[in-house]
Amino acid sequence: EKMIVAMKLRPESVYLTSLFKCRPPSGQRIDNELHRHCEEHLKQQFRLLQATHIVAMGEHAARALARSESPLHTLRRQTFEWEGRQVFCTHHPRDLLTQPTKKKEAWEDLQSVMRSLGTP
């Protein structure tokens, strides 16, 4: 939340959601196939919100929206398009809590989003 405020965005103007609308059966791998099952619901959410930018947080979300099997450290430095929206990739908030050294990288990623939004 502090990073959202630092981006000069109001927290109430930011929509946070889970990429996966359902959890796989116990032991099943979370993968892009699971995303495909939930994708229509996600598309509808973003149509209703009229979102122009998406920040995929974590490797599962990044891979699904980028339609890639590349690791997060590769996807972070690229911009993708998903359903006509710009997608930026960064670390999952849980990772920032357990590995605080990644906060600097996440802030760099969010600065890319700010530049795209035209925010100083």
Side-chain angles (χ1 to χ4, degrees):
E1 191 173 296
K2 289 180 183 179
M3 287 187 187
I4 291 169
V5 172
M7 292 175 73
K8 303 204 181 350
L9 297 173
R10 294 182 333 273
E12 62 271 13
S13 73
V14 175
Y15 179 72
L16 298 174
T17 186
S18 177
L19 177 70
F20 302 109
K21 305 305 175 189
C22 52
R23 298 301 298 175
S26 181
Q28 182 180 332
R29 183 173 167 253
I30 296 176
D31 58 15
N32 286 346
E33 184 61 31
L34 177 60
H35 167 67
R36 302 290 171 261
H37 292 298
C38 303
E39 191 169 29
E40 283 306 314
H41 183 75
L42 192 67
K43 287 178 185 178
Q44 182 63 16
Q45 284 181 302
F46 285 109
R47 275 193 293 271
L48 291 171
L49 293 166
Q50 299 178 355
T52 58
H53 292 69
I54 298 172
V55 178
M57 301 166 93
E59 190 162 78
H60 294 301
R63 285 179 169 183
L65 294 180
R67 301 204 190 285
S68 172
E69 289 300 319
S70 296
L72 180 61
H73 72 267
T74 300
L75 299 174
R76 282 186 51 244
R77 292 169 178 78
Q78 302 176 51
T79 303
F80 303 93
E81 184 183 308
W82 181 80
E83 294 293 310
R85 292 155 180 85
Q86 284 190 286
V87 176
F88 300 81
C89 303
T90 194
H91 298 288
H92 192 282
R94 175 191 59 245
D95 297 336
L96 302 181
L97 294 173
T98 60
Q99 301 169 58
T101 57
K102 292 188 177 193
K103 288 180 182 180
K104 182 177 186 279
E105 291 178 355
W107 179 240
E108 290 169 357
D109 298 336
L110 294 178
Q111 287 175 320
S112 294
V113 178
M114 291 168 56
R115 284 190 294 276
S116 178
L117 289 168
T119 306

